[in-house]
């Protein structure tokens, strides 16, 4: 009897506490959808029907007249920012108030992801980011570009050898692009030939399958820690032990091989291994070197492969854009002895526009979640009243919703690379196009990612005409359990060789 009374009292107290907490935004004069008990506004995520970024996009569209919307991730109040000027404030102008990402990874539980700049916080993030940045200069990109060209040529050959790619049965674009990006990462970081076009079960492909494949551990762990905030107190690892061990082994062997044979390769691994002796303001251990090289592996292939697969899909679905791009790229090859030098690739305006329009229409990351690291006061435009964002409040930046807002991009559902050409590009309002984030914390690998997708797409478009195979489920729907935009059923394409 006493137990029953205790349970009833406890449930009642919890119920009222949650209800009280759900008044948080109302009390501060911030509008927002009514939260539901326990799940807040992300009930569909709990039912595995939509990932939080999709829900944010719906809320964004519903609250057109507002610059900010107050929502709840279960019990936690989250401020969704709609106004690009305020996004600029958060990511650039008042960055010191919003320095960290809303993620917690224990370095001891997950030595690799726990050391990734994305997970690091405060001063530690600042120091590590500053030391890793020299690995991504345009000089370094020029250095790795020949590997990307070689892998592009291998990919062109590989496509022709796949019966289903050529006979109308379709080949899955993401799978193709992942083979390509894994090869680039193998060469650029470890100095290792990944052989993803030659071997069905190459070591790197296996690593990728064990790491980020749909339904894989990392995808699940990331989803769980984002959705169930209380899980953050658990020592959850995103990089599975098996993947960590394999990556550690690859890095250790590569370093040993260089030391024994006196090899100096001007690459990422060299830069970070030097930090062990040159860095004065941070202690870079062997584990740090391994973790950052391994981090380049994990960051380097997946998002780029997603973007590249979206680009070839958009081109297959938009024949005019495909023909225009082919004309530009083919002319560039013809003017350069059938090669595509780095500077020439970088100077192709339509290619750049196609990449950007794809990133606009299908950004691989739906939304970013930052956290307020120091109280911040601003005036809500529409009410002219001040709002204090309290330290610790998560801030949602709805990338996909901004990119598909007709106020910022006319006919957002139409694929129009011309938006990113010449004077049109200058008309795009700051912070309405943020596929790589914005400000000091924006994507560190943007140059590498864009370079590899541009190289790969150029070689494909010069050699093949592409159409969408009927196995692709249209309109595209996305896996609700993956925080990266992942089309259900895949993107199946048919290829026709151009002679
Ligand atoms: C083309 C595909 C890519 C896209 C769309 C992309 C997108 C993003 C986004 C949206 C962020 C979060 C930015 C923020 O918090 O404001 C990010 C962070 C990051 N990305 Fe990328 N990324 C791509 C490729 C890469 C590559 C190839 C690498 C490494 C080789 C990389 C390394 C990183 C790192 C280290 C961070 C954390 C930066 C920090 O917190 O300081 N990314 N990326």
């Amino acid at each position: 009897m006493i137990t029953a009374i205790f349970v009833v009292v406890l449930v009642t107290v919890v119920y009222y506490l949650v209800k009280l907490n759900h008044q948080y935004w109302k009390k501060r004069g911030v509008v927002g959808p009514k939260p539901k008990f326990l799940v807040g506004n992300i009930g569909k995520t709990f039912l595995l029907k939509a990932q939080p970024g999709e829900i944010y996009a719906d809320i964004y569209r519903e609250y057109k007249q507002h610059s900010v919307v107050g929502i709840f991730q279960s019990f936690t109040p989250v401020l969704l920012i709609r106004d690009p000027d305020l996004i600029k404030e958060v990511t650039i102008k008042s960055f010191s108030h919003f320095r960290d990402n809303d993620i917690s990874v224990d370095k001891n539980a997950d030595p690799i992801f726990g050391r990734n700049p994305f997970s690091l916080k405060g001063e530690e993030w600042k120091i590590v980011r500053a030391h890793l940045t020299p690995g991504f200069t345009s000089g370094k990109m020029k250095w790795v570009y020949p590997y990307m060209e070689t892998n592009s040529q291998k990919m062109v050959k590989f496509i022709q050898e796949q019966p289903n790619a050529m006979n109308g049965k379709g080949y899955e674009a993401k799978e193709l692009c992942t083979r390509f990006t894994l090869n680039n990462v193998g060469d650029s970081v470890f100095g290792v030939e990944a052989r993803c076009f030659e071997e069905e079960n190459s070591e790197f492909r296996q690593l990728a399958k064990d790491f980020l494949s749909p339904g894989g551990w990392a995808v699940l762990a990331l989803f769980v820690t984002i959705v169930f905030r209380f899980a953050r107190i658990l020592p959850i690892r995103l990089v599975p032990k098996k993947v960590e061990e394999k990556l550690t082994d690859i890095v250790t062997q590569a370093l040993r091989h260089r030391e024994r044979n006196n090899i100096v390769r001007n690459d990422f691994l060299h830069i970070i291994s030097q930090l062990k002796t040159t860095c004065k303001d941070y202690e870079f251990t062997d584990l740090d070197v391994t973790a950052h090289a391994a981090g380049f592996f994990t960051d380097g292939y997946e998002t780029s492969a997603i973007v590249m697969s979206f680009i070839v899909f958009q081109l297959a679905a938009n024949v005019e854009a495909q023909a225009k791009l082919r004309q530009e790229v083919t002319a560039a090859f013809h003017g350069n002895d059938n090669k595509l030098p780095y500077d020439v690739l970088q100077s192709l305006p339509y290619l750049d526009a196609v990449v950007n329009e794809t990133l606009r229409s299908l950004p691989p990351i739906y939304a970013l979640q930052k956290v307020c690291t120091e109280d911040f006061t601003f005036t809500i435009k529409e009410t002219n009243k001040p709002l204090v964002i309290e330290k610790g409040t998560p801030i949602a930046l709805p990338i996909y919703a901004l990119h598909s807002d007709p106020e910022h991009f006319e006919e957002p559902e139409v694929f129009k690379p011309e938006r990113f050409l010449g004077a049109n590009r200058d008309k795009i309002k700051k912070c309405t196009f943020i596929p790589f984030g914005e400000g000091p914390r924006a994507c560190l690998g943007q140059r590498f990612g864009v370079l590899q997708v541009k190289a790969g797409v150029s070689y494909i478009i010069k050699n093949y005409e592409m159409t969408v195979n009927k196995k692709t489920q249209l309109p595209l729907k996305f896996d609700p359990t993956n925080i990266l935009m992942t089309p259900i059923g895949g993107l199946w394409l048919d290829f026709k060789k151009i002679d």
Side-chain angles (χ1 to χ4, degrees):
M1 182 66 179
I2 290 178
T3 319
I5 293 172
F6 177 75
V7 171
V8 170
V9 170
L10 188 71
V11 169
T12 313
V13 169
V14 169
Y15 179 80
Y16 280 102
L17 281 179
V18 171
K19 280 286 195 196
L20 197 68
N21 194 50
H22 278 169
Q23 299 297 312
Y24 184 89
W25 290 122
K26 209 171 178 185
K27 276 197 234 155
R28 286 163 178 77
V30 179
V31 295
K34 201 168 170 220
K36 294 219 167 78
F37 183 63
L38 291 182
V39 295
N41 301 111
I42 58 163
K44 276 191 185 168
T45 302
F46 281 87
L47 295 172
L48 306 184
K49 285 194 174 155
Q51 68 113 294
E54 279 180 283
I55 298 174
Y56 295 170
D58 288 342
I59 297 173
Y60 174 100
R61 289 181 198 119
E62 203 182 315
Y63 287 84
K64 272 199 177 85
Q65 309 307 327
H66 298 272
S67 51
V68 287
V69 186
I71 54 178
F72 292 88
Q73 231 179 32
S74 304
F75 328 113
T76 311
V78 175
L79 191 67
L80 174 74
I81 304 196
R82 290 189 81 265
D83 176 16
D85 292 333
L86 200 49
I87 293 179
K88 191 168 159 191
E89 194 71 51
V90 166
T91 54
I92 306 169
K93 287 194 193 161
S94 300
F95 173 70
S96 59
H97 292 256
F98 303 94
R99 231 169 39 171
D100 297 339
N101 286 322
D102 184 28
I103 188 164
S104 295
V105 187
D106 179 355
K107 261 191 207 171
N108 295 320
D110 190 338
I112 292 183
F113 202 70
R115 282 176 171 74
N116 191 300
F118 191 78
S119 319
L120 294 179
K121 297 191 185 298
E123 242 351 75
E124 189 179 12
W125 163 77
K126 196 172 164 193
I127 295 171
V128 171
R129 168 124 186 171
H131 286 296
L132 296 183
T133 300
F136 296 91
T137 59
S138 36
K140 288 285 174 305
M141 295 305 111
K142 269 189 189 170
W143 195 82
V144 295
Y145 180 64
Y147 295 116
M148 295 178 180
E149 272 199 292
T150 305
N151 290 322
S152 301
Q153 285 153 2
K154 285 184 188 172
M155 178 169 56
V156 167
K157 186 166 167 279
F158 176 83
I159 294 171
Q160 187 145 26
E161 287 162 0
Q162 306 312 302
N164 289 353
M166 309 300 292
N167 66 8
K169 288 191 178 155
Y171 195 89
E172 211 286 303
K174 168 77 189 310
E175 210 228 270
L176 175 75
C177 299
T178 307
R179 289 179 193 258
F180 173 67
T181 55
L182 279 172
N183 264 15
N184 293 331
V185 169
D187 287 320
S188 315
V189 190
F190 306 115
V192 168
E193 231 193 288
R195 299 187 60 77
C196 295
F197 290 121
E198 291 85 354
E199 291 168 25
E200 204 44 38
N201 292 314
S202 73
E203 196 175 34
F204 275 61
R205 288 200 75 215
Q206 200 47 54
L207 264 176
K209 278 183 197 157
D210 290 339
F211 180 46
L212 270 177
S213 57
W217 172 249
V219 171
L220 191 69
L222 205 53
F223 183 77
V224 167
T225 49
I226 285 174
V227 176
F228 304 98
R229 302 184 69 86
F230 54 85
R232 296 177 184 196
I233 55 167
L234 303 171
I236 288 185
R237 54 161 60 237
L238 276 87
V239 179
K241 186 82 187 151
K242 197 167 141 192
V243 174
E244 180 191 312
E245 281 169 1
K246 195 71 228 163
L247 283 170
T248 307
D249 189 40
I250 293 174
V251 177
T252 313
Q253 278 186 33
L255 285 172
R256 207 174 289 150
H257 176 73
R258 288 175 190 203
E259 253 171 52
R260 279 197 193 131
N261 300 291
N262 240 344
I263 299 170
V264 179
R265 245 176 137 252
N266 188 19
D267 59 7
F268 191 73
L269 191 55
H270 177 67
I271 292 172
I272 45 174
S273 58
Q274 291 296 97
L275 289 175
K276 272 199 307 179
T277 45
T278 58
C279 190
K280 302 287 175 240
D281 54 358
Y282 189 82
E283 198 194 340
F284 273 91
T285 60
D286 283 332
L287 188 55
D288 287 297
V289 173
T290 308
H292 290 302
F296 195 135
F297 168 82
T298 53
D299 295 336
Y301 79 90
E302 179 70 3
T303 34
S304 300
I306 295 176
V307 172
M308 188 170 156
S309 66
F310 286 160
I311 297 174
V312 286
F313 165 76
Q314 289 289 32
L315 290 170
N318 294 278
V319 283
E320 254 178 56
Q322 185 179 156
K324 246 180 167 170
L325 180 61
R326 181 168 301 108
Q327 203 176 13
E328 181 182 80
V329 167
T330 309
F333 271 99
H334 285 168
N336 290 284
D337 285 339
N338 217 19
K339 292 198 183 88
L340 195 54
Y342 176 87
D343 293 325
V344 175
L345 180 87
Q346 298 291 42
S347 70
L348 301 178
Y350 199 70
L351 175 63
D352 196 57
V354 164
V355 172
N356 283 324
E357 176 63 350
T358 306
L359 284 163
R360 181 199 67 78
S361 53
L362 296 167
I365 299 172
Y366 287 90
L368 292 173
Q369 202 147 305
K370 308 276 164 194
V371 69
C372 176
T373 43
E374 218 181 292
D375 282 8
F376 179 75
T377 308
F378 73 101
T379 305
I380 301 179
K381 271 185 191 169
E382 56 280 12
T383 59
N384 211 19
K385 291 204 173 118
L387 174 70
V388 181
I389 305 181
E390 291 179 305
K391 183 176 171 180
T393 310
I395 308 291
L397 307 180
I399 301 181
Y400 178 58
L402 284 158
H403 289 192
S404 52
D405 184 344
E407 233 180 76
H408 304 312
F409 299 95
E410 217 181 280
E411 296 186 292
E413 65 294 345
V414 183
F415 184 75
K416 269 195 252 180
E418 287 69 18
R419 298 179 210 273
F420 289 91
L421 284 180
N424 287 350
R425 194 187 175 122
D426 304 334
K427 286 190 223 146
I428 296 173
K429 189 172 165 63
K430 182 89 182 155
C431 288
T432 56
F433 175 64
I434 49 168
F436 295 99
E438 188 52 271
R441 197 127 199 180
C443 176
L444 183 58
Q446 177 172 351
R447 278 204 180 111
F448 184 88
V450 171
L451 185 66
Q452 62 175 341
V453 304
K454 278 187 173 176
V457 167
S458 298
Y459 273 82
I460 294 181
I461 199 91
K462 176 182 177 272
N463 288 283
Y464 295 101
E465 273 174 20
M466 292 175 290
T467 43
V468 180
N469 182 277
K470 59 179 184 306
K471 272 198 264 181
T472 305
Q473 295 172 26
L474 296 174
L476 297 182
K477 289 210 172 75
F478 301 96
D479 180 356
T481 61
N482 199 325
I483 61 134
L484 297 174
M485 207 180 238
T486 308
I488 295 172
L491 299 170
W492 296 83
L493 301 186
D494 292 316
F495 295 80
K496 187 172 161 221
K497 184 89 178 92
I498 298 169
D499 295 316

